[in-house]
Structures are given as structure tokens and as C-alpha cells.
Amino acid sequence: ETGVTQTPRHLVMGMTNKKSLKCEQHLGHNAMYWYKQSAKKPLELMFVYSLEERVENNSVPSRFSPECPNSSHLFLHLHTLQPEDSALYLCASSQDWRGDTGELFFGEGSRLTVL
Amino acid sequence: KQEVTQIPAALSVPEGENLVLNCSFTDSAIYNLQWFRQDPGKGLTSLLLIQSSQREQTSGRLNASLDKSSGRSTLYIAASQPGDSATYLCAGSNSGGYQKVTFGIGTKLQVIP
């Protein structure tokens, strides 16, 4: 496995369900990110982790809960979502979260549909 | 608040043409800038990174430049091919921290055989 891997690729859930998105990076990077991509909108940064420590929470609703158990894995736990949360959720990593070592590498995304 | 405009929003060209995609930032103090391509339903693939000390980067048929005085970047694609069809996004950081990266919505490119 190389790069950034996300699972599942597609997820359909009801508003009362609890599910999780998983991201794994095989690049030896120290920083990992969750982004949300909605149609006709720029990517929105949700969370940034550096060496398992959260460095940014971009005013994301509490129904999204991130977890970073180590520098290679990142989860996004979902509960009681709304239909407007339907989007493509992208995980990214970079060598570091500052400076010129911050080139972003993205996974293929998890397409989430909330019914 | 930083905003990014990408022009044109969509572009259709015949195979073999050279083309230029544009990206401009409301705050011209760009620390570094990255260009990506995105295929439908997929993630972003990094194409070029212009680091803080650089003004230009080249990879194969792609050349990206950044004018820090105006906050504008261009992506030049030479001898376009049908496989270049995708959405191209630019993203810039106003500081050395990646929590401040702002993305454009992208330019959707179609190269017609």
C-alpha cells in the first residue's frame, strides 16, 4: 500500500446512525487532515492533527468527532448527521503542518450520503 | 478572509492545444501554493508545489508560476491530451501553517480527441 488510503469509499447512513471513516497514510508523514468537499464549494478544512495532537478544529459541529491514535491513522466518527452533511470527505497528510514540508497528499475520499 | 478565484470555471479545447489556467487570491501574501487535479468522484492528486522561496515549478508538460506581488498563479499545460481532462484546483497558504490553506473551486478541463 502506498499513499493515503480511505475506507469506506461510499457510505449511506440514516440520521440516527453512528459510523466511522478511516484514513491511513503510508508516507511517514507527521500531519493528517480531514477536509469536506461539497458541490460548487471550495474544500473546507475540518481538523488538523500533528503527531496525534489536534492543532486545529475549524468550528466543526460536535456530531463529527475525530480520532488520531497514531501518526499513520485518522478516524472521523459520525453520529446524528444531517442531510446537509452529505459530501465527499477527504483525508490528507503532509510531512509537517508548517512551512515548506507541508505539501498535501490526499486520499480518494469517502462519499457520504445522509438520508 | 482569503478567497480564491479560478478562471475560467470550465474549458474545452481540442487535443494538442497549449492552455493556461488562472488562479488569484484576494490576499496576495501567499507563502506557498499547490496545484492539484481531481478526477470525477476521486481525491486530489498533487501536481506542483511552489515553495516559499520559489516563483515557478515544472513537471513534464506542466508549468506553474506564482506572482507574489499580485497574488496570481498560472498553470500552463503544453500539448494537451484527453487524459488531462479533469478539474484543476489551486490552493495557497498565507503562512507557514497548513491550517491556513485556502482552495479554489477549480477549473473543469475537457480535452477533445
Side-chain angles (χ1 to χ4, degrees), chain A residues 17 19 25-26 36 42 53 58-59 74 78 81 86-88 96 98 103 105 114-115:
Chain A
N17 291 160
K19 297 285 185 183
Q25 59 97 0
H26 309 272
K36 176 183 178 182
E53 196 171 317
N58 224 19
S59 302
L74 186 64
L78 316 169
L81 295 191
S86 299
L88 182 66
D96 199 350
R98 299 176 189 268
E103 184 177 3
F105 293 85
V114 181
L115 301 177

Side-chain angles (χ1 to χ4, degrees), chain B residues 24-88:
Chain B
S24 63
F25 294 79
T26 52
D27 182 346
S28 62
I30 301 299
Y31 182 80
N32 55 23
L33 182 138
Q34 199 167 353
W35 279 94
F36 299 88
R37 71 171 278 167
Q38 185 174 30
D39 293 288
K42 299 289 185 71
L44 279 66
T45 300
S46 178
L47 297 173
L48 295 164
L49 170 68
I50 301 177
Q51 296 182 338
S52 58
S53 60
Q54 300 171 330
R55 295 295 179 267
E56 191 175 3
Q57 272 288 4
T58 298
S59 176
R61 295 181 293 107
L62 305 180
N63 174 273
S65 62
L66 173 62
D67 180 348
K68 292 196 173 186
S69 64
S70 65
R72 297 181 185 221
S73 178
T74 59
L75 178 66
Y76 175 82
I77 302 177
S80 58
Q81 302 171 358
D84 295 331
S85 298
T87 297
Y88 290 80

Side-chain angles (χ1 to χ4, degrees), chain A residues 36-44 84-88 111:
Chain A
K36 176 183 178 182
Q37 187 177 34
S38 304
K40 309 292 184 188
K41 288 186 175 181
L43 267 73
E44 301 171 51
E84 59 265 27
D85 295 323
S86 299
L88 182 66
R111 170 68 62 186

Side-chain angles (χ1 to χ4, degrees), chain A residues 25-39:
Chain A
Q25 59 97 0
H26 309 272
L27 300 168
H29 288 167
N30 294 325
M32 296 187 76
Y33 311 76
W34 280 115
Y35 281 91
K36 176 183 178 182
Q37 187 177 34
S38 304

